[in-house]
Amino acid sequence: MQARKKYVLLGLCACCWLVLFYWGGGVQLRLLRLLTRHRGDVMRPWPNWTDRAFLPRYAHLDELQTDPGMAESPRQRRQAWSAIYKDSRCRMETCFDFSRCRRRGREGFRVYIYPSEKNDRVSESYRKILASIAESRYYTSDPREACLFVLGIDTLDRDQLSGQFVPNVDERIRGYPLWNDGRNHLIFNLYSGTWPNYTEDLGFNIGQAILAKASLNTEHFRPGFDVSIPLFSKDHPQKGGERGWLVRNTVPPRRKYLLMFKGKRYLTGIGSDTRNALHHIHNGKDIVSLTTCRHGKDWEKHKDARCDHDNLEYERFDYQELLHNSTFCLVPRGRRLGSFRFLESLQAACIPVLLSNGWELPFSDVIQWNQAVIEGDERLLLQVPSTVRAVGNERVLALRQRTQMLWEAYFSSVDKIVLTTLEIIKDRVFSHISRNKYMWNYLPGGLLVLPEYSTHLAHFPFYYLGLGVTPGQEFTAVIHAVSPLVSQSQPIMKLLQVVSKSKYCSQIIILWNSEKPPPSRSKWPPMPVPLTVTDGRRKTTSRFLPHVAIETEAVLSLDEDTVLLTSEVNFAFLVWRSFPERIVGYPPRSHFWDPLKRAWGYTSKWTNDYSIVLTGAAFYHRYYHYLFTHYLPQSLRTLVDRTSNCEDILMNFLVSAVTHQPPIKVAQRKQYKELPSPQGTKSVPWANPEHFNQRQECINTFANWFGYMPLVHSQFRLDPVLFKDQVSVLRKKYKDLERA
């Protein structure tokens, strides 16, 4: 009897549970179907990536989820891609001929540009790309020397509806004797496909060519072979580019607006899903997410109920003002995965929040983007506000600072974008001397770290602080001699004695740059350190050659007529050990902008302000010899050799471009002027008025090549403790500095 009661009770419970499910969950599901059908839509299942309770308050399902009937399956996409690119599985090991690059050793990485035909149309952006390659140290006009080939045909815009579209590319490239199914070729592309599908079809078979493309999809990207590049406008500068907007260590790190977006809303077609949902996070206060329908010729034909309101709200805010005053910037996909807003956000130090599923980020092979951007999911838009609010102030500042580093190192100009592409490919070809991720992601960036010099971080001065490395305790003095040795009383003889007495001097190298042959070793005075006389080959720039004889990290560069004390040399060296990435020395000079001439000027006036320390008496790291010789173009070095002038200014330009900091001036007993002599004597270079005019011209020539003015002004000077204090000289460490 008791058992029967138990079974009856269990049966009643089961019936109740079924009734509750039917009248509770079942009715709710039926009501939901009725509601969605009432809107004229097909019932879709709930997405499994959001909270059911809050979703109806913000967005309709059709705004957040693409119609499954319209989407291609992954298999269909792979088949379409394979039909477009037969060599979709290409890797460097299978589709690249390394022998073309290694036949000349490390100098074998040369890039050849096919000559353009007479009637070829070349866009402004592609002209800049070709100019960047032609001006690089890798360019060759001889195809027999080339490791890499670049088409003269403009392949940037492969939208058949565009005025920049070049037809018959397939036909033309097959006629090139060196095409070889695209092997060792590099193809640049910004736009591909045509509305409304925007496929990645370039309209010709790239074969085994490397593709440097904007808006690359991760499904189609060939890792270790292709290069993802950023989308940039035709107005993007050729060289230099504007600096980032972040002031160092800005406090507080957050700005007026937490999150912003202002841009087009697509009413139909690809990209409309993401853009149409952006209004749901707009609150008009700390989150400003604005879209407009007012673009294109037929926008009014497709306008929806929100267009008029959105257009009005859109006009209330200025885009530049939002950029300057926002902590995070939304970067949603548009018609394509990439967006101009990506580079705009990087420059503005507005942390990009990416909503572009499947986008292979620019230079993803080498850049650690998780240190500069926040990657979101297009389907999780409603989670973005809470996500960015949860980012702490320390991380906000770190992210913003990294945006500036990446912007200035790789994205501020077409030149940097192109050179980064070439350097990535070069690292793949010469993998045994390639840069590591640290070199690419920390100042000064991969373009200024030449792996041929070294692949060890501790060999580069700008990494010492981060690695906790202390510079060596000795230096090598390099004396530039241009006058024949006729007397033992010449200034160079006294200079040799002064420098050799320094307890930090390891060796002295005399760079003989005189027309007469160097004297025998017996003509030079005996010294406590090794003395080497090297042929300077009568070139001014030979003083900055990476001489094998230089074994120390520190180099003391001296002119033959420099007047110094041993105590001055010692003090300057100790200062340099605290700032090993900079030039540390004595004679200061300065640059200025002349608004009347609209040009840069050069002055040697004695002021508290300076931006140059002349290398006639200065310390710097020996890596700058290598960078001067192998990074700077031959044209600048030829200018210096032809005029026998400006090599010290060029070295200052280079070091300031690397460090973004000024040189450091130290105390000295005597002052030196670089002014024409009143008697008109020409016994020294600066006695000639033409010498000063040449330096004025050099300043502008160098600034034009760099694309901006890298020199930084400073009023900072370092003196010894008690220097010029009213105490006994005998109590001071560097006594000779204040003696008459």
Side-chain angles (χ1 to χ4, degrees):
M1 187 70 182
Q2 293 296 329
R4 184 180 297 176
K5 287 182 179 180
K6 289 181 181 179
Y7 287 127
V8 170
L9 185 60
L10 287 171
L12 288 173
C13 289
C15 291
C16 291
W17 183 82
L18 289 171
V19 168
L20 287 172
F21 175 80
Y22 180 82
W23 291 105
V27 169
Q28 288 177 11
L29 289 173
R30 290 184 178 188
L31 285 173
L32 182 60
R33 289 193 185 99
L34 290 172
L35 288 172
T36 53
R37 285 171 183 165
H38 181 71
R39 293 200 310 265
D41 294 338
V42 177
M43 174 60 187
R44 302 186 183 96
W46 281 101
N48 59 8
W49 35 260
T50 190
D51 185 349
R52 298 185 186 185
F54 293 97
L55 182 63
R57 299 184 190 178
Y58 296 100
H60 296 299
L61 292 178
D62 56 356
E63 293 181 40
L64 295 177
Q65 186 171 330
T66 305
D67 188 348
M70 298 295 292
E72 292 180 323
S73 69
R75 182 179 179 182
Q76 288 173 320
R77 287 195 294 269
R78 285 193 296 270
Q79 288 175 345
W81 175 256
S82 299
I84 296 169
Y85 301 118
K86 297 177 182 178
D87 298 284
S88 58
R89 297 184 181 275
C90 265
R91 297 295 182 266
M92 294 294 287
E93 297 77 16
T94 58
C95 296
F96 195 88
D97 183 3
F98 288 89
S99 65
R100 292 199 64 96
C101 310
R102 291 174 176 165
R103 63 181 63 167
R104 294 169 61 88
R106 73 180 183 189
E107 300 298 324
F109 192 77
R110 292 286 180 264
V111 185
Y112 174 77
I113 301 174
Y114 285 89
S116 299
E117 296 181 13
K118 186 176 181 181
N119 297 322
D120 275 351
R121 292 174 295 175
V122 178
S123 64
E124 180 65 15
S125 295
Y126 200 61
R127 185 197 63 77
K128 290 177 180 178
I129 288 175
L130 297 182
S132 296
I133 297 172
E135 293 174 9
S136 76
R137 61 185 180 278
Y138 299 128
Y139 174 72
T140 179
S141 58
D142 186 352
R144 293 171 298 180
E145 296 181 350
C147 163
L148 201 62
F149 299 85
V150 175
L151 299 178
I153 304 169
D154 188 345
T155 56
L156 288 188
D157 193 343
R158 302 304 299 160
D159 184 341
Q160 294 183 27
L161 303 178
S162 170
Q164 303 290 342
F165 180 80
V166 179
N168 305 322
V169 174
D170 232 342
E171 199 176 302
R172 293 174 61 181
I173 59 178
R174 281 201 301 267
Y176 292 157
L178 297 170
W179 173 244
N180 192 23
D181 195 30
R183 210 168 174 84
N184 288 53
H185 282 67
L186 174 63
I187 293 174
F188 288 91
N189 175 257
L190 296 181
Y191 306 101
S192 60
T194 303
W195 188 89
N197 295 322
Y198 292 104
T199 65
E200 300 203 22
D201 187 1
L202 300 190
F204 65 95
N205 183 13
I206 67 170
Q208 298 179 7
I210 297 171
L211 188 59
K213 188 182 186 310
S215 303
L216 258 174
N217 193 304
T218 53
E219 289 185 19
H220 306 150
F221 177 69
R222 296 172 290 182
F225 192 72
D226 291 332
V227 180
S228 177
I229 63 174
L231 184 65
F232 60 89
S233 71
K234 64 179 180 180
D235 299 321
H236 206 56
Q238 172 80 56
K239 287 180 171 290
E242 295 183 17
R243 298 289 298 272
W245 297 357
L246 179 66
V247 178
R248 289 178 184 271
N249 300 320
T250 301
V251 177
R254 294 183 182 272
R255 295 170 169 175
K256 177 180 177 182
Y257 302 106
L258 174 69
L259 179 69
M260 67 79 65
F261 173 78
K262 186 178 182 183
K264 297 176 182 178
R265 178 159 71 87
Y266 306 113
L267 298 169
T268 59
I270 277 185
S272 59
D273 292 353
T274 303
R275 295 289 181 102
N276 283 337
L278 293 178
H279 72 282
H280 291 294
I281 62 172
H282 172 73
N283 63 21
K285 297 176 183 177
D286 64 336
I287 297 179
V288 178
S289 182
L290 307 168
T291 56
T292 180
C293 310
R294 192 181 287 115
H295 59 88
K297 297 178 181 179
D298 302 325
W299 73 271
E300 289 184 292
K301 294 180 182 179
H302 303 285
K303 66 183 291 188
D304 56 23
R306 285 205 337 266
C307 275
D308 291 335
H309 174 268
D310 286 357
N311 291 343
L312 287 173
E313 190 75 359
Y314 185 87
E315 298 299 329
R316 286 183 53 219
F317 294 86
D318 178 73
Y319 180 62
Q320 291 298 319
E321 193 268 339
L322 288 173
L323 264 183
H324 277 275
N325 293 285
S326 297
T327 306
F328 296 92
C329 285
L330 269 181
V331 183
R333 65 158 297 154
R335 292 300 196 195
R336 297 172 175 86
L337 293 174
S339 168
F340 292 123
R341 280 167 183 76
F342 182 66
L343 291 189
E344 292 171 352
S345 300
L346 285 181
Q347 181 184 6
C350 186
I351 303 164
V353 180
L354 308 181
L355 294 176
S356 187
N357 294 6
W359 181 24
E360 188 70 30
L361 294 181
F363 307 136
S364 55
D365 284 18
V366 296
I367 294 179
Q368 295 172 323
W369 281 111
N370 62 337
Q371 298 178 359
V373 307
I374 292 178
E375 292 192 62
D377 190 313
E378 292 177 84
R379 301 163 300 179
L380 299 175
L381 172 66
L382 302 183
Q383 294 184 8
V384 169
S386 59
T387 299
V388 296
R389 288 188 200 281
V391 181
N393 283 346
E394 289 186 4
R395 178 152 171 76
V396 166
L397 182 57
L399 287 167
R400 293 184 64 197
Q401 288 176 332
R402 186 51 57 91
T403 64
Q404 302 303 273
M405 179 264 158
L406 295 175
W407 164 258
E408 292 181 12
Y410 308 118
F411 299 108
S412 62
S413 67
V414 176
D415 214 37
K416 290 178 181 176
I417 292 172
V418 171
L419 288 177
T420 303
T421 303
L422 295 182
E423 294 290 350
I424 288 173
I425 297 172
K426 178 168 170 277
D427 274 4
R428 294 171 183 171
V429 175
F430 302 101
S431 57
H432 60 292
I433 51 167
S434 60
R435 304 162 183 83
N436 58 43
K437 285 286 184 72
Y438 192 98
M439 293 173 175
W440 282 106
N441 289 277
Y442 289 87
L443 287 172
L447 298 185
L448 291 165
V449 178
L450 304 189
E452 295 86 355
Y453 173 79
S454 177
T455 57
H456 298 287
L457 294 174
H459 292 168
F460 296 91
F462 27 77
Y463 297 138
Y464 285 174
L465 183 61
L467 297 175
V469 174
T470 302
Q473 298 186 10
E474 293 182 324
F475 67 83
T476 298
V478 178
I479 302 176
H480 192 233
V482 294
S483 304
L485 189 63
V486 295
S487 169
Q488 292 295 315
S489 61
Q490 287 179 226
I492 191 172
M493 292 300 187
K494 185 176 182 181
L495 181 62
L496 286 170
Q497 296 295 334
V498 166
V499 174
S500 64
K501 288 180 183 178
S502 171
K503 60 182 179 180
Y504 305 113
C505 183
S506 169
Q507 60 177 329
I508 298 176
I509 298 174
I510 296 178
L511 193 62
W512 192 258
N513 209 352
S514 173
E515 294 181 359
K516 294 187 178 181
S520 62
R521 181 64 182 85
S522 60
K523 298 290 184 180
W524 300 101
M527 283 178 294
V529 296
L531 174 67
T532 305
V533 181
T534 304
D535 182 13
R537 293 180 248 172
R538 301 180 185 177
K539 288 184 179 180
T540 306
T541 54
S542 61
R543 72 185 302 168
F544 296 137
L545 286 173
H547 301 285
V548 178
I550 300 176
E551 298 176 351
T552 61
E553 297 162 302
V555 176
L556 172 58
S557 177
L558 296 165
D559 286 338
E560 61 179 8
D561 55 354
T562 300
V563 179
L564 286 175
L565 302 173
T566 303
S567 56
E568 288 178 301
V569 172
N570 290 341
F571 176 67
F573 177 65
L574 293 179
V575 171
W576 176 85
R577 293 190 72 224
S578 297
F579 304 93
E581 77 281 8
R582 301 208 227 174
I583 295 176
V584 175
Y586 294 100
R589 299 292 182 264
S590 188
H591 76 287
F592 63 93
W593 177 254
D594 189 334
L596 297 178
K597 296 181 180 178
R598 297 188 60 79
W600 294 104
Y602 172 84
T603 179
S604 58
K605 290 182 179 179
W606 294 358
T607 65
N608 291 330
D609 192 88
Y610 69 92
S611 58
I612 297 170
V613 165
L614 302 184
T615 54
F619 283 95
Y620 51 79
H621 195 280
R622 67 176 178 180
Y623 174 61
Y624 292 121
H625 275 195
Y626 196 90
L627 207 58
F628 187 97
T629 303
H630 295 287
Y631 175 78
L632 295 176
Q634 183 62 46
S635 59
L636 295 187
R637 299 199 303 274
T638 300
L639 170 65
V640 169
D641 286 331
R642 187 178 69 248
T643 59
S644 297
N645 198 352
C646 304
E647 78 283 357
D648 47 1
I649 298 177
L650 184 54
M651 178 60 89
N652 274 267
F653 264 74
L654 177 62
V655 177
S656 290
V658 171
T659 63
H660 300 296
Q661 297 183 87
I664 292 178
K665 174 174 168 47
V666 291
Q668 65 186 118
R669 187 177 60 161
K670 295 184 178 181
Q671 300 290 339
Y672 303 93
K673 291 186 179 181
E674 190 180 293
L675 297 172
S677 170
Q679 291 80 19
T681 175
K682 296 185 179 181
S683 57
V684 289
W686 54 84
N688 183 357
E690 186 60 27
H691 174 83
F692 191 83
N693 294 333
Q694 285 176 348
R695 293 174 82 77
Q696 295 263 105
E697 295 174 5
C698 286
I699 286 272
N700 289 281
T701 301
F702 299 160
N704 287 337
W705 184 83
F706 279 89
Y708 71 107
M709 172 52 73
L711 297 178
V712 181
H713 283 100
S714 176
Q715 295 183 354
F716 183 66
R717 189 183 86 172
L718 286 175
D719 298 343
V721 175
L722 302 181
F723 182 67
K724 297 292 184 183
D725 284 4
Q726 298 300 315
V727 296
S728 170
V729 172
L730 297 177
R731 295 174 58 190
K732 300 181 180 182
K733 183 175 181 180
Y734 300 97
K735 307 177 183 64
D736 295 338
L737 281 176
E738 295 188 50
R739 286 178 175 162

